[in-house]
Amino acid sequence: MSTTTTVKTEYEAIIGLETHCQLSTNTKIFSDSSTAFGADPNTNIDPVCMGMPGVLPVLNQKVLEYAVKTGLALNCEIAKYSKFDRKQYFYPDLPKNYQISQYDLPIAEHGWLEIELIDKDGNPTRKRIGITRLHMEEDAGKLVHAGSDRLSGSAYSLVDYNRAGVPLVEIVSEPDLRSGQEAAEYAQELRRIVRYLGVSDGNMQEGSLRCDVNISVRPVGQEKFGTKVEIKNMNSFSAIQRAIEYEIERQIEAVEAGEEIIQETRLWEEGSQRTISMRKKEGSSDYRYFPEPDLGPIEVSSEQLTTWKGDIPELPASKRHRYEEELGLSAYDARVLTEEFATAAYFEAAIASGANAKIAANWITQDIAAYLNKQKLNISEIGLTPQNLADVITRLESGKISNAIAKEKLPDLLNGVTPEKAFAGKELISDPGILEPIVDEVIAANQKEYEKYKAGNTNLKGFFVGQVLKKTNKLAEPRLTNELVEKKLNA
């Protein structure tokens, strides 16, 4: 009798992200209304962003600069010739009934960024994720649904046009991501890059960074993609990961049950931790794109491109590699130090002032980071300057202060007290000429213990070391004290 073994099909996810990043300009993309977040509804508006008859848009030059710099940072090819297009759709938050965007000739294409995943043992895995395109566009307004977070179930809806016309870049990835963890890390790396550039604050809670996920599943080894589903409404990196993990399981279960996957847009429900259907997904033909007649084409000169390229700082991935290869830091420390531009700048300023890189990394990623988290501060807001941190580390390495004393005085240092004042009267005695007579005095005052030591009770060395430390108010340098006590006891 023979039995048939059922082979379980393995599936893989094919994931791409469409990320809208709000640019940190003072005014909107085609008009001079403010982009400030949190203003009263419908106060940051004007005839251009409201689509009034007879008005014409004018491109904000800072938007073009920020878009090009972001494209360069993402290793994209910057278009020599680019244009704007009208994207037609009809919704109450779009007062013109069309959005000015870019379609077939975007400002940047064919780039990549590197993501880095660190396992539980601290080992990094790096992967390049392709960037299909980056284009400029204007944002729509915001609908506020009374009694619900979406149209379905609400009693009525209100619209706030403050966000209409706010400048965005949309960054579309290649379908190179394979897990929720990879997608979340991709989004985080994008945020690091735009923050380093200073083109966006990348704040997901305020909508400055919004990610839509396109996801499908297919059996491992199959070349053809499955039917993709779009997921919206994710306002954190952890939500991106959880939404993708849920959707992967949902699609696999549907495929194995013989159900059809519908190309649609779904919403992530944070409360129920699931995706729900929102609407059938539109295609590009539904938007009826055509060239924007009120805006001329865009040409970036080689001179301007060179200038903007020269403004780009060293980016997070490059810093991570350099910190590991040149400074000998772990992948974890390099990642923590480069998470924010201000932290990396602080670390590098401390090294430039003479601090040992590994010790400085430990102080910044551990003790200082704990203080910042507790006080909800940025590293640029503390009183301990990078130069004073380097001073503290130099004192530690030279044996002038102990690690315990440095940690004891850290709150004072963080509040701006200088190392000179913080460690006044606390510096270790590291001069043998000063410490040797103190050791002699301690031995002479404890003759019974000395005789027991000579008789073979060598554990009493710790007693004599402790007495010396007590006599010097714990300011005797430990290593030197040990050496002198042992030398005197065995003389």
Side-chain angles (χ1 to χ4, degrees):
M1 182 178 179
S2 64
T3 59
T4 303
T5 303
T6 302
V7 179
K8 185 173 176 62
T9 303
E10 288 188 37
Y11 293 87
E12 67 174 350
I14 308 298
I15 304 164
L17 263 65
E18 297 174 5
T19 306
H20 287 89
C21 178
Q22 179 178 325
L23 300 178
S24 296
T25 57
N26 294 325
T27 55
K28 295 185 177 181
I29 185 169
F30 301 122
S31 66
D32 60 1
S33 285
S34 171
T35 58
F37 179 81
D40 289 337
N42 298 310
T43 54
N44 291 342
I45 59 175
D46 58 75
V48 174
C49 68
M50 293 299 292
M52 297 297 183
V55 297
L56 292 173
V58 177
L59 177 61
N60 183 336
Q61 290 299 301
K62 187 62 74 171
V63 172
L64 177 61
E65 176 187 338
Y66 283 2
V68 171
K69 285 181 176 178
T70 307
L72 290 169
L74 295 174
N75 305 290
C76 290
E77 299 171 10
I78 305 301
K80 293 181 179 179
Y81 178 93
S82 172
K83 68 178 175 66
F84 283 103
D85 300 274
R86 285 191 183 183
K87 179 180 181 181
Q88 318 286 329
Y89 67 93
F90 307 96
Y91 209 61
D93 62 2
L94 200 65
K96 298 195 294 280
N97 284 329
Y98 64 86
Q99 177 189 35
I100 299 178
S101 182
Q102 292 190 291
Y103 180 47
D104 56 331
L105 294 175
I107 191 66
E109 293 182 285
H110 312 309
W112 57 269
L113 65 74
E114 179 187 271
I115 63 171
E116 178 183 82
L117 302 176
I118 299 177
D119 65 21
K120 56 181 173 49
D121 298 318
N123 301 312
T125 300
R126 299 185 174 102
K127 179 179 178 180
R128 281 191 179 184
I129 307 301
I131 304 292
T132 306
R133 57 184 280 146
L134 175 150
H135 65 261
M136 299 174 284
E137 64 184 22
E138 60 181 340
D139 206 349
K142 179 182 180 182
L143 284 174
V144 180
H145 304 294
S148 178
D149 61 352
R150 57 184 183 273
L151 183 60
S152 176
S154 63
Y156 59 88
S157 299
L158 302 172
V159 64
D160 178 5
Y161 288 118
N162 281 348
R163 207 167 66 184
V166 165
L168 304 175
V169 288
E170 181 174 354
I171 301 161
V172 181
S173 83
E174 291 288 325
D176 294 340
L177 300 158
R178 294 292 177 267
S179 69
Q181 184 184 17
E182 285 188 3
E185 174 54 30
Y186 166 89
Q188 290 181 75
E189 186 68 7
L190 264 184
R191 184 175 73 166
R192 292 184 196 106
I193 290 170
V194 297
R195 284 183 168 182
Y196 266 62
L197 293 172
V199 304
S200 176
D201 61 21
N203 190 328
M204 291 193 78
Q205 287 70 36
E206 295 181 2
S208 299
L209 193 74
R210 311 197 292 272
C211 296
D212 298 333
V213 174
N214 289 306
I215 177 171
S216 64
V217 298
R218 68 182 179 188
V220 173
Q222 176 180 300
E223 289 190 18
K224 183 182 177 182
F225 288 175
T227 302
K228 72 177 179 181
V229 168
E230 182 182 42
I231 312 173
K232 289 181 176 287
N233 198 39
M234 295 161 293
N235 61 2
S236 71
F237 299 117
S238 62
I240 291 172
Q241 181 168 344
R242 284 181 277 116
I244 289 172
E245 289 170 352
Y246 173 89
E247 187 62 19
I248 290 172
E249 288 187 21
R250 185 191 74 84
Q251 291 190 27
I252 290 174
E253 288 177 6
V255 170
E256 294 199 323
E259 298 173 10
E260 180 185 2
I261 302 293
I262 301 170
Q263 185 169 334
E264 62 179 341
T265 297
R266 298 178 71 87
L267 291 176
W268 171 245
E269 278 195 336
E270 187 66 35
S272 62
Q273 295 288 291
R274 63 180 184 142
T275 64
I276 61 169
S277 182
M278 178 186 178
R279 62 172 180 260
K280 183 181 177 183
K281 179 64 178 170
E282 302 92 342
S284 60
S285 60
D286 296 318
Y287 293 126
R288 295 180 292 118
Y289 284 99
F290 66 83
E292 170 55 57
D294 292 336
L295 288 164
I298 303 162
E299 294 187 59
V300 179
S301 69
S302 57
E303 293 80 13
Q304 186 64 81
L305 197 60
T306 300
T307 299
W308 286 340
K309 194 170 187 177
D311 293 339
I312 295 175
E314 184 184 22
L315 296 170
S318 177
K319 282 188 184 291
R320 291 195 295 265
H321 289 294
R322 181 165 63 85
Y323 287 2
E324 292 178 48
E325 295 164 8
E326 297 181 11
L327 302 179
L329 300 186
S330 69
Y332 174 81
D333 283 346
R335 182 186 180 88
V336 174
L337 290 168
T338 57
E339 182 67 28
E340 298 287 348
F341 182 82
T343 305
Y346 185 98
F347 170 67
E348 292 182 19
I351 294 174
S353 297
N356 176 288
K358 289 187 177 180
I359 298 176
N362 288 338
W363 277 88
I364 294 169
T365 61
Q366 296 173 24
D367 299 270
I368 293 176
Y371 176 84
L372 294 176
N373 290 334
K374 184 177 180 181
Q375 300 297 325
K376 294 181 172 55
L377 294 173
N378 184 283
I379 199 164
S380 59
E381 299 175 302
I382 61 175
L384 178 60
T385 65
Q387 294 73 26
N388 282 345
L389 176 61
D391 187 339
V392 172
I393 292 170
T394 300
R395 290 168 188 261
L396 281 167
E397 286 192 291
S398 65
K400 288 185 177 181
I401 58 172
S402 69
N403 200 52
I405 289 172
K407 290 183 182 293
E408 177 190 325
K409 292 296 179 180
L410 181 60
D412 293 336
L413 293 163
L414 288 167
N415 283 306
V417 177
T418 64
E420 290 78 9
K421 289 184 179 179
F423 301 126
K426 295 288 185 178
E427 290 195 354
L428 298 179
I429 302 170
S430 55
D431 183 349
I434 298 173
L435 205 53
E436 201 165 339
I438 298 173
V439 174
D440 290 335
E441 186 180 337
V442 166
I443 292 174
N446 296 278
Q447 281 299 301
K448 288 184 180 180
E449 286 77 8
Y450 176 69
E451 290 170 7
K452 289 178 182 178
Y453 177 87
K454 298 301 279 186
N457 189 354
T458 56
N459 289 333
L460 282 169
K461 186 184 97 168
F463 165 79
F464 286 100
V465 169
Q467 291 299 305
V468 173
L469 291 173
K470 183 178 179 181
K471 195 169 185 65
T472 60
N473 294 318
K474 297 183 179 180
L475 294 179
E477 200 281 312
R479 183 185 56 79
L480 179 60
T481 302
N482 267 285
E483 290 176 0
L484 290 176
V485 166
E486 187 169 0
K487 175 184 174 184
K488 294 288 184 178
L489 290 175
N490 294 327

